[in-house]
Amino acid sequence: MTDRDSEIEKYESLMALEPRETGEMSLESDIANFTRIVSLFCKVPIALMTLVGEDKVLVRSSIGMNECEIDRNESFCSHTVQGEGILEVKDTLEDERFSQLAAVRGDERIRYYAGAPLVTPDGRKIGALCILDHVPRQLTTRESDFIQTMSRQLMNLISLKESEQRLSDLFENVSDLIQSISPEGEIVWVNAKWRETLGYNQSELSSINIFDIIAPNCQQHFREVFQKLLKDDNVGIFNVSFIAKDGKFVRTEGRVNVRFEGRKPILMRGIFRDVTQEHANKKQSELFKQTLDRTFDAILMYEPENFRFIYANKSALKKTGHTMAELKMMRPWEIDAKIQPEQAQQMFHQLREGTQKSVVFETELCHKSGHTTEVEITLQYLSDDFSPRFIAIVRDITEQRKALLELKKAKNQAEEANQAKNRFLSRVSHELRTPLNSIIGFSKLLLMGNISGKEYENTERIHNSGTHLLELITDIMDISSMESDELKLNLETVDIHVILCSVRDLMKPQAEEAKAEISCLESEDKSLTLITDRRRLKQILINLVSNAIKYSGKDCLIKLYAQRFEDRLLIRVKDNGLGISNEKTQRLFTPFDRLDAERNMSETKGTGLGLAIVKKLAKTLGGDIAVISKLNEGSVFTVDLPTLPEVP
């Protein structure tokens, strides 16, 4: 598209625009009136207003002719825009430039043409205002002056409409809400932002009165403002809340001016700024400030350029003893008893450069009176939509220090008590084991002798009680050793399948006595090895198999097997015995908690420490133990050990 065609298209679009406000005429209607007046004044049957493009001549208004588009080569107007002043062709048949035109030779039989160019303010000729007749003739001086005057007035009108359109486009695209209201409150016109913000479309506006969409709490004030405006009083900027179509309130602030004709108000134009979000932000800011002021920790902010304080909450003012005005004249190191300016600036530099996200350090905060408070400071740098700033969160750790000292003291006392307990248990164990071994040994000899009946039964009770007491002492010493980290491990590479077979063989007599069966399943991995303590691992497995025998009943099948899973080794002891309910599973590893007493199996031997020891041993070996069990279906205990255990 050429520059001329672009220019013509712009003016064509301008002429086709609808009026912006009620009572105004469109530019197209105004141009039609111009051509009609020219036709009547010059007493000709045809009058045209045209726009001349590169190839076509567009007829924008016509009297006496139906054509709306003419080939430029067949047009009088193309010559008009090339010359100066009025182009007059008194007899088209006598002018060789036009005598062969279709309009001259054809049915229209145009014998006369006179046209004045339409000239834009910057001197470009865009078209013509012209008259045509079917007979030769000549313009009078009055007619010539009239046509030229009307062409200039027409261009003035077009330029005025163009300016109005630019102003209308400006109003349509500004971020403020603009409205025109009649003195009765009827909405005459609103811009796009008004419609977008309040959610009404153009067709709905005719049925809405401005008072219909004013919030109830603003009605009285707005009516008072409205009446003052109608009296031409200056009310300045005022606030009003509108009700959007979806029911939400839109808070605005703005001003209104009134157009008067004579002393009668005709139209009220208002420009309002949506301050809903601004008001919400202000409330949120106030709430945020209230929250900061109620925070126990002191919060301080200062500028990154000169390190002057710009904010301090109430707690900070209280802890420093300074007013905000005093703090604004100070720098952070002036209220810090330990840190030097060079140290502080180094931390600030690290935060600004992003090498550290935050810095946490302990120091002493100086009070205006001279005393200091032990504090922990978390320092951060923020650079967001607001101004960049450093934020220091200052926490009083005086009580925390006292609590830590008390805790350390209590820990030392507990460790001393634990050591005393261990020494006591060790001595008592040694003192108890000697007579117990004698009781067990002599009772065993008696049982091997020639006794029977009541004597044999009593001797057996003595032997069993002594054995049980010795097991209890041994278990207690094991737990004590593990709790005090005195349990020494002897690490070596062990073959897991060999360990499982060894446990099976050791426990076979006990299983046969209980009419149970133990099987050792071979793994697909024939070289399952582990660096661990052989004796402690066997102790874990023997304890698990022993429990399976004791608590599974007759005809129980116990399976031992192992498998590697990534960097873990899983050793499982599975039985098809009585099983355990979910609520009791968590109690399995609690010392002295014997679930068999609740199942009427209190005659089963045991100290209630076995699984507690197994759990602690597994932890000591760098692993853990887990159990899955269902009532009347059996249990699976899994010992989970690392292939490279992190043990001493």
Side-chain angles (χ1 to χ4, degrees):
M1 181 180 293
T2 65
D3 292 341
R4 169 170 285 277
D5 285 340
S6 298
E7 184 78 8
I8 297 307
E9 184 176 316
K10 180 184 76 171
Y11 282 100
E12 186 182 14
S13 300
L14 181 65
M15 294 171 197
L17 287 173
E18 292 296 324
R20 189 169 62 85
E21 293 184 357
T22 302
E24 296 183 5
M25 295 180 65
S26 69
L27 179 57
E28 194 168 19
S29 299
D30 289 336
I31 293 173
N33 288 334
F34 267 79
T35 52
R36 186 177 294 107
I37 291 170
V38 169
S39 171
L40 292 172
F41 186 86
C42 296
K43 299 178 181 179
V44 292
I46 303 171
L48 305 176
M49 181 271 176
T50 65
L51 295 173
V52 180
E54 287 291 333
D55 301 314
K56 300 291 184 181
V57 174
L58 305 176
V59 179
R60 291 303 301 160
S61 177
S62 66
I63 299 295
M65 182 178 285
N66 295 326
E67 283 83 354
C68 60
E69 186 177 292
I70 305 170
D71 189 285
R72 180 164 176 166
N73 295 326
E74 292 289 328
S75 169
F76 296 97
C77 296
S78 63
H79 293 270
T80 305
V81 297
Q82 292 173 1
E84 299 294 333
I86 286 184
L87 170 66
E88 183 178 20
V89 184
K90 299 174 183 178
D91 189 340
T92 57
L93 291 176
E94 299 296 328
D95 193 320
E96 61 182 10
R97 293 175 298 173
F98 308 107
S99 60
Q100 299 304 316
L101 295 183
V104 175
R105 294 292 181 183
D107 295 339
E108 294 175 351
R109 291 178 299 150
I110 301 300
R111 296 290 303 276
Y112 177 79
Y113 171 87
L118 298 174
V119 185
T120 65
D122 58 359
R124 286 173 294 174
K125 298 169 185 175
I126 63 169
L129 179 63
C130 55
I131 59 174
L132 299 96
D133 205 341
H134 301 297
V135 296
R137 59 170 294 174
Q138 183 176 356
L139 286 175
T140 66
T141 302
R142 285 188 66 220
E143 290 173 338
S144 177
D145 291 342
F146 184 76
I147 292 174
Q148 291 186 81
T149 300
M150 292 299 282
S151 68
R152 288 193 295 269
Q153 291 297 325
L154 180 56
M155 283 310 300
N156 289 338
L157 176 63
I158 292 174
S159 297
L160 178 61
K161 289 294 184 179
E162 185 179 10
S163 298
E164 287 184 355
Q165 181 59 34
R166 284 198 296 267
L167 185 61
S168 175
D169 290 342
L170 176 64
F171 286 160
E172 277 293 304
N173 294 292
V174 295
S175 57
D176 292 333
L177 283 67
I178 303 177
Q179 61 187 30
S180 295
I181 308 296
S182 74
E184 293 74 34
E186 297 171 347
I187 298 176
V188 177
W189 176 86
V190 297
N191 71 340
K193 187 63 178 179
W194 194 100
R195 297 191 298 273
E196 176 190 333
T197 303
L198 298 182
Y200 295 98
N201 59 48
Q202 192 68 42
S203 63
E204 295 172 313
L205 297 178
S206 60
S207 61
I208 298 175
N209 190 286
I210 191 65
F211 289 98
D212 296 336
I213 58 171
I214 300 296
N217 60 331
C218 296
Q219 284 277 349
Q220 183 61 34
H221 176 63
F222 188 76
R223 288 182 184 277
E224 293 172 359
V225 170
F226 199 82
Q227 292 304 317
K228 288 181 180 180
L229 289 168
L230 293 177
K231 295 176 183 178
D232 202 17
D233 290 342
N234 182 15
V235 297
I237 296 176
F238 64 96
N239 294 309
V240 63
S241 292
F242 294 101
I243 305 173
K245 187 177 180 180
D246 60 6
K248 293 180 180 178
F249 286 180
V250 178
R251 298 177 66 94
T252 68
E253 68 172 20
R255 62 171 66 246
V256 176
N257 60 66
V258 183
R259 191 177 82 192
F260 286 86
E261 289 186 1
R263 302 192 60 172
K264 183 179 180 182
I266 301 301
L267 203 65
M268 305 174 73
R269 289 191 176 95
I271 300 178
F272 295 93
R273 184 168 65 93
D274 184 355
V275 295
T276 307
Q277 189 59 48
E278 183 180 312
H279 179 76
N281 291 342
K282 185 178 179 181
K283 287 187 68 176
Q284 188 174 10
S285 178
E286 291 174 355
L287 179 62
F288 181 66
K289 186 178 182 301
Q290 291 175 6
T291 303
L292 291 181
D293 282 338
R294 293 175 183 175
T295 302
F296 180 75
D297 292 337
I299 299 176
L300 296 155
M301 299 183 192
Y302 34 91
E303 295 177 341
E305 299 302 328
N306 55 21
F307 305 112
R308 297 284 187 184
F309 287 104
I310 56 175
Y311 172 79
N313 68 346
K314 287 184 178 180
S315 181
L317 298 177
K318 182 179 179 181
K319 283 182 168 59
T320 61
H322 292 285
T323 64
M324 191 63 240
E326 291 172 335
L327 282 176
K328 284 183 177 181
M329 303 302 296
M330 302 175 70
R331 291 179 172 86
W333 48 84
E334 295 179 51
I335 59 171
D336 194 311
K338 290 184 176 181
I339 199 168
Q340 298 298 316
E342 296 78 14
Q343 294 174 288
Q345 291 179 3
Q346 184 179 1
M347 286 191 293
F348 299 151
H349 177 75
Q350 291 173 340
L351 290 170
R352 287 188 72 173
E353 293 300 314
T355 55
Q356 285 187 290
K357 292 185 178 180
S358 64
V359 177
V360 181
F361 60 97
E362 293 182 3
T363 185
E364 293 182 0
L365 190 68
C366 297
H367 192 273
K368 186 178 180 180
S369 64
H371 73 265
T372 60
T373 305
E374 292 182 334
V375 296
E376 177 189 81
I377 297 180
T378 301
L379 187 63
Q380 292 181 311
Y381 175 71
L382 292 183
S383 179
D384 46 26
D385 294 338
F386 301 97
S387 58
R389 59 208 178 277
F390 288 105
I391 299 179
I393 301 173
V394 184
R395 176 164 297 174
D396 187 341
I397 59 173
T398 305
E399 294 300 323
Q400 181 181 337
R401 283 281 182 85
K402 289 180 181 178
L404 286 174
L405 289 173
E406 292 294 328
L407 184 61
K408 186 175 181 181
K409 182 179 178 181
K411 182 175 179 291
N412 291 336
Q413 290 175 346
E415 288 176 350
E416 290 175 1
N418 191 50
Q419 290 174 2
K421 178 202 72 173
N422 290 337
R423 289 194 297 270
F424 172 76
L425 287 174
S426 179
R427 290 175 184 174
V428 169
S429 172
H430 178 73
E431 295 298 328
L432 290 176
R433 285 176 189 271
T434 301
L436 274 175
N437 284 328
S438 298
I439 292 172
I440 293 169
F442 282 115
S443 62
K444 186 66 174 177
L445 289 174
L446 289 172
L447 289 172
M448 294 170 62
N450 189 19
I451 60 173
S452 60
K454 195 68 174 176
E455 291 178 351
Y456 185 89
E457 185 179 337
N458 290 336
T459 304
E460 187 178 36
R461 286 179 179 174
I462 293 171
H463 179 78
N464 291 341
S465 297
T467 303
H468 179 67
L469 185 56
L470 185 60
E471 290 175 356
L472 181 59
I473 292 171
T474 302
D475 289 345
I476 290 173
M477 288 307 299
D478 278 346
I479 287 182
S480 178
S481 297
M482 284 182 276
E483 288 179 346
S484 61
D485 294 327
E486 293 180 358
L487 187 67
K488 303 299 180 184
L489 297 178
N490 181 24
L491 298 180
E492 59 179 310
T493 301
V494 298
D495 187 317
I496 298 303
H497 187 67
V498 171
I499 291 288
L500 295 180
C501 292
S502 176
V503 171
R504 177 197 62 190
D505 295 340
L506 285 171
M507 299 305 296
K508 190 172 182 180
Q510 184 180 335
E512 290 176 348
E513 185 179 349
K515 296 183 179 180
E517 181 182 347
I518 306 174
S519 65
C520 183
L521 305 180
E522 288 193 25
S523 172
E524 294 180 0
D525 187 350
K526 302 299 182 183
S527 59
L528 279 180
T529 59
L530 183 68
I531 299 176
T532 189
D533 187 308
R534 181 189 301 271
R535 187 170 75 86
R536 294 302 179 182
L537 180 56
K538 286 181 67 174
Q539 185 179 353
I540 291 173
L541 297 176
I542 287 171
N543 209 316
L544 292 177
V545 173
S546 177
N547 275 3
I549 294 171
K550 285 191 290 184
Y551 298 110
S552 295
K554 295 179 180 181
D555 302 322
C556 174
L557 176 60
I558 302 166
K559 296 179 181 179
L560 305 177
Y561 56 98
Q563 64 183 114
R564 193 184 302 276
F565 181 74
E566 295 179 352
D567 61 343
R568 315 293 295 177
L569 188 68
L570 308 179
I571 305 174
R572 291 190 170 92
V573 178
K574 181 179 181 181
D575 67 66
N576 60 349
L578 300 176
I580 310 164
S581 63
N582 288 335
E583 59 271 18
K584 293 181 180 180
T585 302
Q586 299 301 319
R587 293 167 48 191
L588 280 175
F589 305 103
T590 304
F592 303 105
D593 190 350
R594 293 186 57 188
L595 303 183
D596 58 319
E598 299 177 14
R599 298 193 298 184
N600 298 320
M601 296 178 65
S602 55
E603 72 278 1
T604 305
K605 297 178 181 180
T607 63
L609 290 172
L611 288 179
I613 292 173
V614 164
K615 182 81 168 179
K616 290 183 178 295
L617 280 174
K619 294 279 189 182
T620 303
L621 294 176
D624 204 350
I625 186 167
V627 60
I628 299 175
S629 185
K630 289 185 179 180
L631 282 175
N632 302 318
E633 292 185 19
S635 306
V636 179
F637 285 82
T638 301
V639 182
D640 181 352
L641 298 172
T643 53
L644 293 174
E646 297 180 3
V647 293

